[in-house]
Amino acid sequence: MMRLPKLAVSSPETIEEATGLLAELGDRAVVLSGGTDLIPNLKRHQLTVDTVVLLGRIDDLRGIRADGESIHIGARTTLREIVDSELVPPVVARAAGQVASPTIQNQGTIGGNLCVDTRCFWLNVTDLWRQAAEPCLKADGDTCWVAPAKQHCWAVSSSDLAPVLVALDASITLVGSGGTRTIPLADLYVDDGIAYLTKASEEIITSVAIPIDPGLDTTYHKLRRRGSVDFPILGVAAAIRRGDAGVCTEARIILGAVASAPLRAPEAEEALVGQPLGPDSIAAAAEAARKLARPLYNTDLTSRYRKRMVPVFVKRALEELAAG
Ligand SMILES: Cc1cc2nc3c(=O)[nH]c(=O)nc-3n(C[C@H](O)[C@H](O)[C@H](O)COP(=O)(O)OP(=O)(O)OC[C@H]3O[C@@H](n4cnc5c(N)ncnc54)[C@H](O)[C@@H]3O)c2cc1C
């Protein structure tokens, strides 16, 4: 049985108290929301901290509300609350409902989902197993065992909600000791398996805002080995706006789980804009996404298979939108 290391636990009641603690403790502390990602990672000794700062008692971080322009979701809102909400866009509820399993959705939160650690099968193993080889780059070693020639960590972005919310042009509000700022969600991510978030470690996501945009047609398709529990090994989020005669005026195609950040596919989007959403434009977009995506052999199923699935899943997503 894997055990948690010895940790101090703080349970602040306000956002200010939490950010104060995080600023004071620096890299020694980490935020725990639902704990469904963090606790297994702590048990596997993937990170070394001596304190966890629980967000569970901060009521201001919960709830879903609409203000006419956007839907605001508190960072501590659970995935299950999102699945059951009538306020959130259906594509968000659908993606939340595909995370892990119902039990984990009851516990896991949107803030944790957006910050979920990048994954790699050289890393997500027990300490003992990791010690059998030289530790990988993300485990403070010198080599990335996925692509040893490069000093870069390729661990995979594994959030289901991130590609969907980037496609919806969502923004997040962050609070730290330096104050409050709101940024596009896309700007939270960096294509680097180690430093995969731009936020300071002492900053807390307090809420997510999704623009209310009834003209945008959206969908999300996820590839995983089993129909439940498994992380995505490919996710395709598509958002399309159509004008007169069904011509596409705006497109966002975001690929999940093929890089260390949600990957925007601009050439796939260009293949759609100015065209009706039909077989030719869909085939061109699917091919452009295939060329862009370079999944590596670092998560479930082979990289070759995952690459071959990229155009298949882009096509499926766009055909669903074309069928209306
Ligand atoms: C068996 C299993 C299957 C899973 N399958 C999936 C899947 O299919 N898809 C998927 O997307 N995820 C999956 N997960 C991961 C996880 O359950 C979800 O992503 C969940 O939403 C994480 O939320 P949490 O609140 O539990 O995060 P936590 O574990 O509490 O935190 C995760 C990370 O986010 C940080 N964090 C949390 N909240 C905040 C905040 N408000 N501000 C700043 N940082 C914060 C934490 O410090 C930590 O680094 C799976 C996990 C397990 C164990």
Side-chain angles (χ1 to χ4, degrees), residues 30-41 47 55 61 75-77 79 95 98-101 104-105 107-117 119 158-162 174 196-197 199-201 203-207 220 222 224 226 228-232:
V30 69
V31 160
L32 186 146
S33 189
T36 59
D37 185 53
L38 187 65
I39 288 181
N41 293 348
L47 64 163
L55 299 183
L61 295 177
R76 270 280 305 153
T77 306
L79 300 172
Q98 292 185 52
V99 172
S101 62
I104 291 176
Q105 291 159 22
Q107 181 74 19
T109 64
I110 186 169
N113 190 270
L114 296 180
C115 296
V116 79
D117 201 0
R119 296 181 64 78
S158 299
S159 161
D160 276 306
L161 287 181
L174 294 154
Y196 62 98
L197 298 178
K199 75 172 193 64
S201 58
E203 279 183 310
I204 293 176
I205 298 178
T206 54
S207 64
Y220 178 63
K222 168 175 178 172
R224 54 182 160 179
R226 299 173 290 185
S228 184
V229 180
D230 287 344
F231 280 88

Short mmCIF file of all heavy atoms in Angstrom, two decimals, residues 30-41 47 55 61 75-77 79 95 98-101 104-105 107-117 119 158-162 174 196-197 199-201 203-207 220 222 224 226 228-232, ligand 1:
data_model
loop_
_atom_site.label_atom_id
_atom_site.label_comp_id
_atom_site.label_asym_id
_atom_site.label_seq_id
_atom_site.Cartn_x
_atom_site.Cartn_y
_atom_site.Cartn_z
N VAL A 30 1.81 23.13 -0.98
CA VAL A 30 1.03 22.95 -2.20
C VAL A 30 -0.45 23.03 -1.83
O VAL A 30 -0.85 22.68 -0.72
CB VAL A 30 1.40 21.60 -2.88
CG1 VAL A 30 0.93 20.41 -2.08
CG2 VAL A 30 0.88 21.53 -4.30
N VAL A 31 -1.24 23.50 -2.81
CA VAL A 31 -2.68 23.63 -2.61
C VAL A 31 -3.36 22.29 -2.87
O VAL A 31 -3.03 21.61 -3.83
CB VAL A 31 -3.21 24.67 -3.62
CG1 VAL A 31 -4.69 24.53 -3.84
CG2 VAL A 31 -2.86 26.07 -3.18
N LEU A 32 -4.30 21.92 -2.02
CA LEU A 32 -5.10 20.72 -2.25
C LEU A 32 -6.57 21.13 -2.33
O LEU A 32 -7.09 21.75 -1.41
CB LEU A 32 -4.88 19.72 -1.11
CG LEU A 32 -5.54 18.35 -1.30
CD1 LEU A 32 -4.69 17.25 -0.68
CD2 LEU A 32 -6.94 18.30 -0.74
N SER A 33 -7.19 20.78 -3.45
CA SER A 33 -8.61 21.11 -3.62
C SER A 33 -9.43 19.84 -3.39
O SER A 33 -9.81 19.55 -2.26
CB SER A 33 -8.82 21.71 -5.01
OG SER A 33 -10.10 22.22 -5.15
N GLY A 34 -9.66 19.04 -4.43
CA GLY A 34 -10.33 17.74 -4.20
C GLY A 34 -9.32 16.66 -3.82
O GLY A 34 -9.68 15.65 -3.23
N GLY A 35 -8.07 16.85 -4.21
CA GLY A 35 -7.00 15.91 -3.87
C GLY A 35 -6.93 14.68 -4.76
O GLY A 35 -6.07 13.81 -4.55
N THR A 36 -7.79 14.58 -5.77
CA THR A 36 -7.83 13.33 -6.55
C THR A 36 -6.60 13.16 -7.45
O THR A 36 -6.27 12.05 -7.83
CB THR A 36 -9.10 13.26 -7.42
OG1 THR A 36 -9.12 14.38 -8.31
CG2 THR A 36 -10.36 13.25 -6.58
N ASP A 37 -5.94 14.25 -7.78
CA ASP A 37 -4.68 14.15 -8.53
C ASP A 37 -3.50 14.27 -7.56
O ASP A 37 -2.54 13.51 -7.62
CB ASP A 37 -4.62 15.28 -9.56
CG ASP A 37 -3.39 15.18 -10.45
OD1 ASP A 37 -3.20 14.10 -11.04
OD2 ASP A 37 -2.64 16.16 -10.56
N LEU A 38 -3.60 15.21 -6.66
CA LEU A 38 -2.45 15.51 -5.79
C LEU A 38 -2.12 14.36 -4.84
O LEU A 38 -0.93 14.04 -4.64
CB LEU A 38 -2.75 16.79 -4.99
CG LEU A 38 -1.58 17.31 -4.18
CD1 LEU A 38 -0.44 17.75 -5.09
CD2 LEU A 38 -2.01 18.47 -3.30
N ILE A 39 -3.14 13.75 -4.25
CA ILE A 39 -2.84 12.72 -3.23
C ILE A 39 -2.10 11.53 -3.84
O ILE A 39 -1.05 11.13 -3.32
CB ILE A 39 -4.11 12.35 -2.43
CG1 ILE A 39 -4.42 13.55 -1.52
CG2 ILE A 39 -3.92 11.07 -1.62
CD1 ILE A 39 -5.60 13.42 -0.63
N PRO A 40 -2.57 10.97 -4.97
CA PRO A 40 -1.75 9.89 -5.57
C PRO A 40 -0.34 10.36 -5.92
O PRO A 40 0.62 9.61 -5.74
CB PRO A 40 -2.52 9.51 -6.85
CG PRO A 40 -3.91 10.03 -6.65
CD PRO A 40 -3.83 11.17 -5.70
N ASN A 41 -0.20 11.59 -6.38
CA ASN A 41 1.14 12.09 -6.74
C ASN A 41 2.03 12.24 -5.50
O ASN A 41 3.23 11.96 -5.54
CB ASN A 41 1.03 13.43 -7.49
CG ASN A 41 0.38 13.26 -8.85
OD1 ASN A 41 0.22 12.14 -9.32
ND2 ASN A 41 0.01 14.36 -9.48
N LEU A 47 6.31 14.77 -5.84
CA LEU A 47 6.69 16.12 -5.41
C LEU A 47 7.02 16.09 -3.93
O LEU A 47 6.52 15.22 -3.20
CB LEU A 47 5.60 17.16 -5.73
CG LEU A 47 4.25 17.06 -5.05
CD1 LEU A 47 3.52 18.39 -5.18
CD2 LEU A 47 3.39 15.97 -5.68
N LEU A 55 -8.20 23.83 0.45
CA LEU A 55 -9.10 24.93 0.05
C LEU A 55 -10.54 24.67 0.47
O LEU A 55 -11.41 25.51 0.27
CB LEU A 55 -9.04 25.12 -1.48
CG LEU A 55 -7.69 25.48 -2.09
CD1 LEU A 55 -7.83 25.71 -3.59
CD2 LEU A 55 -7.11 26.74 -1.42
N LEU A 61 -14.96 30.07 -2.86
CA LEU A 61 -14.45 29.41 -4.07
C LEU A 61 -15.47 28.46 -4.71
O LEU A 61 -15.15 27.78 -5.65
CB LEU A 61 -13.18 28.60 -3.73
CG LEU A 61 -11.97 29.40 -3.28
CD1 LEU A 61 -10.81 28.48 -2.91
CD2 LEU A 61 -11.52 30.36 -4.39
N ALA A 75 -13.58 27.95 -8.32
CA ALA A 75 -12.56 26.93 -8.56
C ALA A 75 -12.79 25.65 -7.75
O ALA A 75 -12.36 24.58 -8.15
CB ALA A 75 -11.18 27.50 -8.23
N ARG A 76 -13.50 25.76 -6.62
CA ARG A 76 -13.73 24.57 -5.78
C ARG A 76 -15.02 23.84 -6.16
O ARG A 76 -15.43 22.90 -5.50
CB ARG A 76 -13.85 25.01 -4.30
CG ARG A 76 -12.55 25.04 -3.52
CD ARG A 76 -12.11 23.69 -3.03
NE ARG A 76 -13.10 22.98 -2.23
CZ ARG A 76 -13.17 21.66 -2.13
NH1 ARG A 76 -12.32 20.90 -2.78
NH2 ARG A 76 -14.10 21.09 -1.39
N THR A 77 -15.67 24.30 -7.21
CA THR A 77 -16.90 23.62 -7.66
C THR A 77 -16.52 22.23 -8.16
O THR A 77 -15.54 22.07 -8.91
CB THR A 77 -17.55 24.44 -8.80
OG1 THR A 77 -17.73 25.77 -8.33
CG2 THR A 77 -18.87 23.85 -9.24
N LEU A 79 -16.68 18.62 -10.17
CA LEU A 79 -17.02 18.22 -11.54
C LEU A 79 -18.47 17.73 -11.60
O LEU A 79 -19.18 17.99 -12.55
CB LEU A 79 -16.06 17.13 -12.02
CG LEU A 79 -14.58 17.56 -12.03
CD1 LEU A 79 -13.68 16.38 -12.33
CD2 LEU A 79 -14.34 18.67 -13.05
N ALA A 95 -17.75 17.27 -20.97
CA ALA A 95 -16.33 16.97 -20.70
C ALA A 95 -16.12 16.62 -19.23
O ALA A 95 -15.39 15.67 -18.91
CB ALA A 95 -15.46 18.15 -21.11
N GLN A 98 -16.91 13.19 -18.44
CA GLN A 98 -15.99 12.16 -18.97
C GLN A 98 -14.70 12.07 -18.17
O GLN A 98 -13.81 11.29 -18.49
CB GLN A 98 -15.66 12.47 -20.42
CG GLN A 98 -16.87 12.29 -21.33
CD GLN A 98 -16.51 12.49 -22.79
OE1 GLN A 98 -15.59 11.89 -23.32
NE2 GLN A 98 -17.24 13.36 -23.44
N VAL A 99 -14.56 12.92 -17.15
CA VAL A 99 -13.36 12.84 -16.30
C VAL A 99 -13.48 11.60 -15.41
O VAL A 99 -14.48 11.42 -14.71
CB VAL A 99 -13.21 14.10 -15.42
CG1 VAL A 99 -12.09 13.92 -14.41
CG2 VAL A 99 -12.99 15.34 -16.27
N ALA A 100 -12.48 10.76 -15.45
CA ALA A 100 -12.33 9.65 -14.50
C ALA A 100 -13.62 8.84 -14.34
O ALA A 100 -14.06 8.19 -15.27
CB ALA A 100 -11.82 10.17 -13.17
N SER A 101 -14.24 8.95 -13.17
CA SER A 101 -15.43 8.16 -12.84
C SER A 101 -16.34 9.02 -11.97
O SER A 101 -15.89 10.02 -11.40
CB SER A 101 -15.00 6.93 -12.03
OG SER A 101 -14.41 7.38 -10.83
N ILE A 104 -14.86 10.02 -8.60
CA ILE A 104 -13.82 11.06 -8.65
C ILE A 104 -14.45 12.41 -9.01
O ILE A 104 -14.04 13.45 -8.50
CB ILE A 104 -12.70 10.63 -9.62
CG1 ILE A 104 -11.93 9.45 -9.00
CG2 ILE A 104 -11.74 11.78 -9.91
CD1 ILE A 104 -10.85 8.84 -9.87
N GLN A 105 -15.50 12.38 -9.85
CA GLN A 105 -16.17 13.65 -10.18
C GLN A 105 -16.82 14.29 -8.95
O GLN A 105 -16.95 15.51 -8.85
CB GLN A 105 -17.25 13.42 -11.24
CG GLN A 105 -16.68 13.07 -12.61
CD GLN A 105 -17.69 12.37 -13.49
OE1 GLN A 105 -18.91 12.47 -13.29
NE2 GLN A 105 -17.20 11.64 -14.49
N GLN A 107 -15.55 14.41 -6.08
CA GLN A 107 -14.49 14.94 -5.23
C GLN A 107 -13.63 15.98 -6.00
O GLN A 107 -13.22 16.98 -5.46
CB GLN A 107 -13.61 13.75 -4.79
CG GLN A 107 -12.47 14.07 -3.88
CD GLN A 107 -12.96 14.37 -2.47
OE1 GLN A 107 -14.08 14.00 -2.10
NE2 GLN A 107 -12.14 15.07 -1.72
N GLY A 108 -13.36 15.69 -7.27
CA GLY A 108 -12.47 16.54 -8.07
C GLY A 108 -13.14 17.86 -8.42
O GLY A 108 -14.35 17.92 -8.61
N THR A 109 -12.34 18.90 -8.55
CA THR A 109 -12.87 20.23 -8.78
C THR A 109 -12.35 20.80 -10.10
O THR A 109 -11.37 20.32 -10.66
CB THR A 109 -12.44 21.18 -7.64
OG1 THR A 109 -11.01 21.29 -7.67
CG2 THR A 109 -12.89 20.66 -6.28
N ILE A 110 -12.99 21.89 -10.54
CA ILE A 110 -12.57 22.49 -11.81
C ILE A 110 -11.18 23.12 -11.67
O ILE A 110 -10.36 23.02 -12.58
CB ILE A 110 -13.64 23.49 -12.33
CG1 ILE A 110 -13.26 23.98 -13.73
CG2 ILE A 110 -13.84 24.66 -11.39
CD1 ILE A 110 -14.36 24.76 -14.45
N GLY A 111 -10.90 23.75 -10.53
CA GLY A 111 -9.57 24.37 -10.34
C GLY A 111 -8.48 23.31 -10.41
O GLY A 111 -7.46 23.48 -11.08
N GLY A 112 -8.72 22.18 -9.74
CA GLY A 112 -7.74 21.09 -9.76
C GLY A 112 -7.61 20.50 -11.15
O GLY A 112 -6.53 20.13 -11.59
N ASN A 113 -8.72 20.42 -11.85
CA ASN A 113 -8.68 19.85 -13.20
C ASN A 113 -7.83 20.72 -14.13
O ASN A 113 -7.06 20.20 -14.95
CB ASN A 113 -10.10 19.70 -13.75
CG ASN A 113 -10.10 18.90 -15.03
OD1 ASN A 113 -9.99 19.46 -16.11
ND2 ASN A 113 -10.17 17.59 -14.92
N LEU A 114 -7.96 22.03 -14.00
CA LEU A 114 -7.18 22.90 -14.89
C LEU A 114 -5.69 22.89 -14.55
O LEU A 114 -4.86 23.21 -15.39
CB LEU A 114 -7.73 24.34 -14.84
CG LEU A 114 -9.16 24.47 -15.37
CD1 LEU A 114 -9.64 25.91 -15.29
CD2 LEU A 114 -9.29 23.95 -16.80
N CYS A 115 -5.37 22.52 -13.31
CA CYS A 115 -3.94 22.51 -12.89
C CYS A 115 -3.42 21.08 -12.79
O CYS A 115 -2.33 20.87 -12.25
CB CYS A 115 -3.79 23.18 -11.53
SG CYS A 115 -4.23 24.92 -11.56
N VAL A 116 -4.19 20.11 -13.24
CA VAL A 116 -3.80 18.71 -13.05
C VAL A 116 -2.38 18.50 -13.59
O VAL A 116 -1.99 19.07 -14.61
CB VAL A 116 -4.87 17.80 -13.72
CG1 VAL A 116 -4.70 17.69 -15.22
CG2 VAL A 116 -4.93 16.45 -13.07
N ASP A 117 -1.60 17.71 -12.87
CA ASP A 117 -0.19 17.55 -13.24
C ASP A 117 -0.07 16.86 -14.60
O ASP A 117 -0.90 16.02 -14.95
CB ASP A 117 0.54 16.72 -12.16
CG ASP A 117 2.04 16.94 -12.19
OD1 ASP A 117 2.54 17.72 -13.03
OD2 ASP A 117 2.74 16.33 -11.36
N ARG A 119 1.38 14.16 -17.23
CA ARG A 119 1.57 12.73 -16.94
C ARG A 119 2.55 12.07 -17.91
O ARG A 119 2.66 12.46 -19.07
CB ARG A 119 0.22 12.00 -17.04
CG ARG A 119 -0.77 12.47 -16.01
CD ARG A 119 -2.08 11.71 -16.11
NE ARG A 119 -1.93 10.31 -15.82
CZ ARG A 119 -1.82 9.79 -14.61
NH1 ARG A 119 -1.86 10.57 -13.55
NH2 ARG A 119 -1.69 8.49 -14.44
N SER A 158 -3.10 16.46 -19.30
CA SER A 158 -4.10 15.39 -19.21
C SER A 158 -5.45 15.84 -18.68
O SER A 158 -6.22 15.04 -18.15
CB SER A 158 -3.54 14.26 -18.33
OG SER A 158 -2.37 13.75 -18.91
N SER A 159 -5.73 17.12 -18.82
CA SER A 159 -7.01 17.64 -18.35
C SER A 159 -8.05 17.54 -19.46
O SER A 159 -7.78 17.89 -20.60
CB SER A 159 -6.83 19.12 -17.95
OG SER A 159 -8.09 19.77 -17.91
N ASP A 160 -9.24 17.09 -19.10
CA ASP A 160 -10.32 17.08 -20.09
C ASP A 160 -10.94 18.46 -20.25
O ASP A 160 -11.40 18.81 -21.34
CB ASP A 160 -11.42 16.10 -19.64
CG ASP A 160 -11.10 14.67 -20.05
OD1 ASP A 160 -10.86 14.44 -21.24
OD2 ASP A 160 -11.08 13.79 -19.16
N LEU A 161 -11.00 19.24 -19.16
CA LEU A 161 -11.68 20.53 -19.27
C LEU A 161 -10.82 21.59 -19.95
O LEU A 161 -11.35 22.52 -20.57
CB LEU A 161 -12.12 21.03 -17.89
CG LEU A 161 -13.30 20.28 -17.27
CD1 LEU A 161 -13.65 20.88 -15.91
CD2 LEU A 161 -14.52 20.34 -18.16
N ALA A 162 -9.48 21.47 -19.84
CA ALA A 162 -8.63 22.54 -20.38
C ALA A 162 -8.86 22.79 -21.87
O ALA A 162 -9.12 23.93 -22.27
CB ALA A 162 -7.16 22.24 -20.06
N LEU A 174 -6.93 34.74 -10.92
CA LEU A 174 -5.89 34.24 -10.01
C LEU A 174 -5.69 35.25 -8.90
O LEU A 174 -5.67 36.46 -9.15
CB LEU A 174 -4.57 34.09 -10.77
CG LEU A 174 -4.51 33.04 -11.88
CD1 LEU A 174 -3.47 33.43 -12.92
CD2 LEU A 174 -4.18 31.69 -11.28
N TYR A 196 4.60 23.53 -16.41
CA TYR A 196 3.49 23.54 -17.38
C TYR A 196 2.47 24.63 -17.14
O TYR A 196 1.55 24.80 -17.92
CB TYR A 196 2.82 22.15 -17.43
CG TYR A 196 2.22 21.73 -16.10
CD1 TYR A 196 0.86 21.89 -15.85
CD2 TYR A 196 3.00 21.20 -15.08
CE1 TYR A 196 0.30 21.53 -14.64
CE2 TYR A 196 2.46 20.83 -13.87
CZ TYR A 196 1.11 21.00 -13.65
OH TYR A 196 0.56 20.65 -12.45
N LEU A 197 2.62 25.36 -16.02
CA LEU A 197 1.69 26.46 -15.73
C LEU A 197 2.46 27.77 -15.60
O LEU A 197 3.57 27.79 -15.03
CB LEU A 197 0.95 26.21 -14.41
CG LEU A 197 0.06 24.96 -14.34
CD1 LEU A 197 -0.56 24.84 -12.95
CD2 LEU A 197 -1.04 25.01 -15.41
N LYS A 199 1.31 30.31 -13.83
CA LYS A 199 0.99 30.98 -12.56
C LYS A 199 2.11 30.76 -11.53
O LYS A 199 2.79 29.73 -11.57
CB LYS A 199 -0.36 30.49 -12.02
CG LYS A 199 -0.33 29.13 -11.42
CD LYS A 199 -1.65 28.81 -10.74
CE LYS A 199 -1.50 27.59 -9.87
NZ LYS A 199 -0.57 27.74 -8.75
N ALA A 200 2.24 31.74 -10.64
CA ALA A 200 3.20 31.57 -9.54
C ALA A 200 2.68 30.49 -8.60
O ALA A 200 1.46 30.31 -8.47
CB ALA A 200 3.34 32.89 -8.79
N SER A 201 3.59 29.76 -7.93
CA SER A 201 3.13 28.65 -7.09
C SER A 201 2.25 29.15 -5.94
O SER A 201 1.42 28.41 -5.42
CB SER A 201 4.31 27.84 -6.56
OG SER A 201 5.16 28.68 -5.84
N GLU A 203 -0.03 31.43 -6.27
CA GLU A 203 -1.30 31.94 -6.78
C GLU A 203 -2.36 30.85 -6.78
O GLU A 203 -2.09 29.70 -7.16
CB GLU A 203 -1.14 32.47 -8.21
CG GLU A 203 -0.56 33.86 -8.28
CD GLU A 203 -0.48 34.38 -9.70
OE1 GLU A 203 0.04 33.64 -10.57
OE2 GLU A 203 -0.92 35.50 -9.95
N ILE A 204 -3.58 31.24 -6.42
CA ILE A 204 -4.71 30.31 -6.42
C ILE A 204 -5.67 30.74 -7.53
O ILE A 204 -5.95 31.93 -7.68
CB ILE A 204 -5.45 30.38 -5.07
CG1 ILE A 204 -4.56 29.84 -3.96
CG2 ILE A 204 -6.75 29.62 -5.11
CD1 ILE A 204 -5.21 29.98 -2.60
N ILE A 205 -6.16 29.77 -8.28
CA ILE A 205 -7.26 30.09 -9.21
C ILE A 205 -8.51 30.22 -8.35
O ILE A 205 -8.81 29.31 -7.56
CB ILE A 205 -7.47 28.97 -10.25
CG1 ILE A 205 -6.23 28.78 -11.12
CG2 ILE A 205 -8.70 29.27 -11.12
CD1 ILE A 205 -6.36 27.65 -12.14
N THR A 206 -9.21 31.33 -8.49
CA THR A 206 -10.42 31.48 -7.68
C THR A 206 -11.67 31.20 -8.50
O THR A 206 -12.66 30.70 -7.97
CB THR A 206 -10.52 32.89 -7.08
OG1 THR A 206 -10.41 33.85 -8.13
CG2 THR A 206 -9.42 33.12 -6.05
N SER A 207 -11.64 31.51 -9.81
CA SER A 207 -12.83 31.23 -10.62
C SER A 207 -12.50 31.16 -12.10
O SER A 207 -11.43 31.62 -12.53
CB SER A 207 -13.91 32.29 -10.39
OG SER A 207 -13.43 33.54 -10.82
N TYR A 220 -16.76 18.08 -27.80
CA TYR A 220 -15.52 17.51 -27.27
C TYR A 220 -15.55 16.00 -27.48
O TYR A 220 -16.53 15.34 -27.14
CB TYR A 220 -15.39 17.82 -25.76
CG TYR A 220 -14.14 17.22 -25.13
CD1 TYR A 220 -12.88 17.61 -25.54
CD2 TYR A 220 -14.24 16.26 -24.13
CE1 TYR A 220 -11.73 17.07 -24.97
CE2 TYR A 220 -13.10 15.72 -23.54
CZ TYR A 220 -11.86 16.13 -23.97
OH TYR A 220 -10.72 15.60 -23.40
N LYS A 222 -13.21 12.49 -26.79
CA LYS A 222 -12.08 12.01 -25.97
C LYS A 222 -11.72 10.58 -26.34
O LYS A 222 -12.60 9.73 -26.49
CB LYS A 222 -12.51 12.09 -24.49
CG LYS A 222 -11.59 11.37 -23.52
CD LYS A 222 -12.04 11.60 -22.08
CE LYS A 222 -11.15 10.87 -21.09
NZ LYS A 222 -11.42 11.20 -19.70
N ARG A 224 -9.67 7.28 -24.94
CA ARG A 224 -9.05 6.61 -23.79
C ARG A 224 -9.26 5.12 -23.99
O ARG A 224 -10.12 4.71 -24.77
CB ARG A 224 -9.65 7.09 -22.47
CG ARG A 224 -11.15 6.95 -22.40
CD ARG A 224 -11.71 7.48 -21.10
NE ARG A 224 -13.14 7.78 -21.22
CZ ARG A 224 -13.88 8.24 -20.24
NH1 ARG A 224 -13.34 8.46 -19.06
NH2 ARG A 224 -15.15 8.50 -20.41
N ARG A 226 -10.37 2.75 -21.87
CA ARG A 226 -11.64 2.26 -21.35
C ARG A 226 -12.69 3.38 -21.39
O ARG A 226 -12.33 4.54 -21.42
CB ARG A 226 -11.49 1.79 -19.89
CG ARG A 226 -10.51 0.66 -19.74
CD ARG A 226 -10.26 0.34 -18.29
NE ARG A 226 -9.51 1.38 -17.60
CZ ARG A 226 -9.08 1.30 -16.35
NH1 ARG A 226 -9.35 0.23 -15.64
NH2 ARG A 226 -8.39 2.29 -15.81
N SER A 228 -14.38 4.53 -19.07
CA SER A 228 -14.47 5.27 -17.81
C SER A 228 -13.11 5.22 -17.12
O SER A 228 -12.23 4.48 -17.55
CB SER A 228 -15.53 4.64 -16.91
OG SER A 228 -15.70 5.39 -15.74
N VAL A 229 -12.94 6.02 -16.12
CA VAL A 229 -11.76 6.09 -15.24
C VAL A 229 -10.50 6.63 -15.93
O VAL A 229 -9.78 7.43 -15.34
CB VAL A 229 -11.44 4.71 -14.57
CG1 VAL A 229 -10.21 4.82 -13.69
CG2 VAL A 229 -12.62 4.21 -13.77
N ASP A 230 -10.25 6.26 -17.18
CA ASP A 230 -8.97 6.62 -17.78
C ASP A 230 -8.85 8.10 -18.14
O ASP A 230 -9.80 8.72 -18.61
CB ASP A 230 -8.74 5.80 -19.05
CG ASP A 230 -8.43 4.35 -18.74
OD1 ASP A 230 -8.10 4.06 -17.57
OD2 ASP A 230 -8.52 3.53 -19.65
N PHE A 231 -7.61 8.59 -17.97
CA PHE A 231 -7.26 9.93 -18.44
C PHE A 231 -7.36 9.98 -19.97
O PHE A 231 -7.23 8.94 -20.63
CB PHE A 231 -5.80 10.24 -18.07
CG PHE A 231 -5.58 10.65 -16.64
CD1 PHE A 231 -5.38 9.70 -15.66
CD2 PHE A 231 -5.57 11.99 -16.29
CE1 PHE A 231 -5.16 10.08 -14.35
CE2 PHE A 231 -5.35 12.38 -14.98
CZ PHE A 231 -5.15 11.42 -14.01
N PRO A 232 -7.51 11.20 -20.54
CA PRO A 232 -7.51 11.27 -22.01
C PRO A 232 -6.12 10.95 -22.55
O PRO A 232 -5.12 11.34 -21.95
CB PRO A 232 -7.88 12.73 -22.30
CG PRO A 232 -7.46 13.48 -21.07
CD PRO A 232 -7.64 12.53 -19.92
C1 LIG B 1 -8.01 7.12 -11.52
C2 LIG B 1 -7.99 8.57 -11.95
C3 LIG B 1 -8.49 8.90 -13.19
C4 LIG B 1 -8.48 10.23 -13.61
N1 LIG B 1 -8.99 10.53 -14.84
C5 LIG B 1 -9.01 11.79 -15.27
C6 LIG B 1 -9.56 12.10 -16.55
O1 LIG B 1 -10.07 11.24 -17.26
N2 LIG B 1 -9.51 13.40 -16.95
C7 LIG B 1 -8.98 14.39 -16.18
O2 LIG B 1 -9.00 15.55 -16.61
N3 LIG B 1 -8.48 14.13 -14.95
C8 LIG B 1 -8.49 12.86 -14.48
N4 LIG B 1 -7.99 12.58 -13.23
C9 LIG B 1 -7.35 13.64 -12.45
C10 LIG B 1 -8.26 14.35 -11.44
O3 LIG B 1 -9.10 13.46 -10.77
C11 LIG B 1 -9.11 15.45 -12.07
O4 LIG B 1 -8.38 16.19 -13.00
C12 LIG B 1 -9.68 16.38 -10.98
O5 LIG B 1 -10.56 17.31 -11.56
C13 LIG B 1 -8.60 17.15 -10.23
O6 LIG B 1 -9.23 18.02 -9.34
P1 LIG B 1 -8.90 18.02 -7.78
O7 LIG B 1 -9.74 19.06 -7.17
O8 LIG B 1 -9.02 16.67 -7.20
O9 LIG B 1 -7.37 18.46 -7.86
P2 LIG B 1 -6.24 18.31 -6.74
O10 LIG B 1 -5.75 16.92 -6.74
O11 LIG B 1 -6.68 18.89 -5.46
O12 LIG B 1 -5.16 19.29 -7.37
C14 LIG B 1 -4.57 19.04 -8.63
C15 LIG B 1 -3.50 20.12 -8.87
O13 LIG B 1 -4.12 21.39 -9.00
C16 LIG B 1 -3.65 22.30 -8.01
N5 LIG B 1 -4.83 23.09 -7.64
C17 LIG B 1 -6.01 22.61 -7.25
N6 LIG B 1 -6.89 23.61 -7.10
C18 LIG B 1 -6.24 24.74 -7.38
C19 LIG B 1 -6.60 26.12 -7.38
N7 LIG B 1 -7.85 26.52 -7.10
N8 LIG B 1 -5.66 27.03 -7.72
C20 LIG B 1 -4.40 26.63 -8.02
N9 LIG B 1 -4.00 25.35 -8.04
C21 LIG B 1 -4.91 24.42 -7.72
C22 LIG B 1 -3.08 21.43 -6.91
O14 LIG B 1 -2.07 22.10 -6.18
C23 LIG B 1 -2.52 20.28 -7.71
O15 LIG B 1 -1.27 20.63 -8.25
C24 LIG B 1 -7.99 11.25 -12.76
C25 LIG B 1 -7.51 10.91 -11.50
C26 LIG B 1 -7.52 9.59 -11.09
C27 LIG B 1 -7.01 9.25 -9.71
#
